[in-house]
Amino acid sequence: RMPSCLLKLTRVVLSHRLWALFILIFVFVSFAYHKLYWGMWEDPKSRGPPYSLSAEISCAHYVPSSLNIAAGPSPSTGNVFFVETSEQITPSYLFSCSVESAARTHPGSRVVVLMKGLAKENASLPKHWAFSLLSCFPNVEMRPLDLTELFSGTPLKRWYLRPLRHWEPHFLPVLSDACRIVLMWKFGGIYLDTDFIVLKNLENLTNALGIQDYDVLNGAFLSFKPKHKFMELCMQDFVQNYNGWVWGHQGPELLTHVFKKWCSIQTIKSMSCKGVSALAPEVVYPIPWQDWKKLFEAVSALELRKLLKNTHAVHIWNKLSHGTKLEIPSQALLAQLYSQFCPATYTKMKQD
């Protein structure tokens, strides 16, 4: 026999069939909607890795109050340029750190990030945590990269418009080499690759580039006044001695060749010649590319200070290091650089 309470409930349901049916349908539909909605968002297959998720950033949370994010930049003393020549619009942690560290060390300059993948006109930025985070800095400007407009009025315009150019094996890095030379000639300021962490203000390093290692200059950092003759010679050499099939020919090899010709020398060393400086490796390339694994090795705070005593920025050699796992937090040299010089990005890394 059924308990008396269950028997009474059955009689009530039978006497109010329509209402009971309505309630059952409502509960079923609600349950199905709930499962469908959350299933869409919680299915691991429908999610990318943490760095590609859309996100809104709270500036107050990620940017310490000690940095005056409400005030705009003071009268500009020049631009700091970053360039992304691919269609990529999901910046990495290192990309974000590069821009953040430059913005913090150059509060009076515009930090201009030119990205080929950004829509032209006045379209809003893509929904990605890095764009939200970097927008917290009043001196950072994210802009679309219009290559035809950039190269107009320079010897590189005809080079860029040749259709078969895009099929060359190293086209994107060569395109990046072209952009930095033209930016320096047209506008002047500072150019940095997106795998630099900036430690100090770079504005006192004028008309300068860095020695990568013995007898080789690198263009990952450039600092020149606009319309400088050295950059004009680099543009001319880019076109006249062009070879897009050899890695580095339009980058380090070009800069090294032009500097040797500029100074009438056979071997490059730390020096200044006719107003252009070749900076010692420790200034912007303190870790040689051959020793890039040192970035992932633990160092004490004292060792770090000693290593970076005469350093303004650290090149991370992302082409070599990008696949290496970095423990966060840790005493690894690179982790300490993130922590000290791009703390907002570092906070996001720890969260993810």
Side-chain angles (χ1 to χ4, degrees), residues 205-212 216-224 230-231 234 251-252 254-256 258-259 268-271 276-281 283-285:
L205 307 177
T206 308
N207 299 331
L209 63 172
I211 298 174
Q212 170 185 300
V216 178
L217 293 169
N218 194 309
F221 158 80
L222 295 171
S223 176
F224 281 87
F230 184 84
M231 283 291 110
C234 287
L254 181 152
L255 294 167
T256 302
V258 173
F259 189 81
I268 293 177
K269 58 184 178 181
S270 179
M271 61 186 295
V276 178
S277 298
L279 304 173
V283 179
V284 287
Y285 304 110

Side-chain angles (χ1 to χ4, degrees), residues 42-48:
E42 293 185 352
D43 181 5
K45 294 180 181 178
S46 69
R47 296 184 299 187

Side-chain angles (χ1 to χ4, degrees), residues 197-208:
I197 298 180
V198 186
L199 283 53
K200 301 171 187 172
N201 192 288
L202 299 165
E203 288 170 351
N204 63 326
L205 307 177
T206 308
N207 299 331

Side-chain angles (χ1 to χ4, degrees), residues 296 324-332 334-336 338 346 349:
F296 298 87
T324 306
K325 184 179 179 182
L326 177 65
E327 293 292 338
I328 295 291
S330 72
Q331 289 300 109
L334 182 54
Q336 293 192 59
Y338 273 112
Y346 184 69
M349 292 173 74

Side-chain angles (χ1 to χ4, degrees), residues 89 129 131 204 240 244 287 325:
I89 53 170
W129 67 264
F131 292 114
N204 63 326
Q240 291 169 4
I287 308 296
K325 184 179 179 182

Side-chain angles (χ1 to χ4, degrees), residues 108-320:
S109 300
R110 294 184 184 89
V111 179
V112 183
V113 184
L114 299 168
M115 301 184 72
K116 190 171 181 289
L118 290 183
K120 295 180 177 63
E121 308 300 331
N122 293 318
S124 58
L125 291 171
K127 292 289 186 180
H128 186 276
W129 67 264
F131 292 114
S132 297
L133 188 150
L134 295 173
S135 295
C136 294
F137 295 88
N139 57 334
V140 172
E141 300 179 14
M142 316 292 291
R143 297 182 188 174
L145 175 61
D146 187 331
L147 291 164
T148 304
E149 180 183 349
L150 177 63
F151 294 137
S152 66
T154 76
L156 279 78
K157 181 180 179 180
R158 289 182 63 188
W159 162 82
Y160 175 67
L161 293 177
R162 290 180 184 174
L164 296 180
R165 209 52 94 202
H166 300 240
W167 293 99
E168 293 172 355
H170 309 302
F171 179 69
L172 283 181
V174 167
L175 186 58
S176 178
D177 291 330
C179 287
R180 69 192 69 186
I181 293 172
V182 173
L183 282 168
M184 290 296 95
W185 184 78
K186 273 192 167 184
F187 307 107
I190 296 165
Y191 167 83
L192 290 167
D193 275 0
T194 55
D195 57 349
F196 258 109
I197 298 180
V198 186
L199 283 53
K200 301 171 187 172
N201 192 288
L202 299 165
E203 288 170 351
N204 63 326
L205 307 177
T206 308
N207 299 331
L209 63 172
I211 298 174
Q212 170 185 300
D213 49 27
Y214 174 74
D215 206 35
V216 178
L217 293 169
N218 194 309
F221 158 80
L222 295 171
S223 176
F224 281 87
K225 292 186 179 298
K227 304 299 189 291
H228 197 283
K229 184 65 177 179
F230 184 84
M231 283 291 110
E232 183 180 341
L233 292 174
C234 287
M235 289 194 299
Q236 292 171 3
D237 190 277
F238 190 99
V239 176
Q240 291 169 4
N241 300 309
Y242 184 78
N243 186 342
W245 294 82
V246 177
W247 174 264
H249 186 271
Q250 301 304 120
E253 285 188 29
L254 181 152
L255 294 167
T256 302
H257 167 71
V258 173
F259 189 81
K260 286 181 176 181
K261 199 172 178 181
W262 175 267
C263 297
S264 301
I265 57 175
Q266 297 297 317
T267 304
I268 293 177
K269 58 184 178 181
S270 179
M271 61 186 295
S272 182
C273 175
K274 296 196 305 192
V276 178
S277 298
L279 304 173
E282 61 264 24
V283 179
V284 287
Y285 304 110
I287 308 296
W289 67 267
Q290 300 93 330
D291 298 330
W292 65 268
K293 290 184 179 179
K294 286 186 177 179
L295 291 161
F296 298 87
E297 296 174 3
V299 296
S300 68
L302 181 62
E303 289 174 312
L304 185 63
R305 282 196 300 272
K306 189 182 298 184
L307 177 66
L308 304 177
K309 181 181 178 182
N310 299 313
T311 299
H312 283 65
V314 180
H315 194 226
I316 307 302
W317 308 108
N318 188 55
K319 182 174 174 59
L320 299 169

Side-chain angles (χ1 to χ4, degrees), residues 54-58 62 127-129 132:
S54 298
E56 292 298 328
I57 296 293
S58 167
Y62 284 94
K127 292 289 186 180
H128 186 276
W129 67 264
S132 297

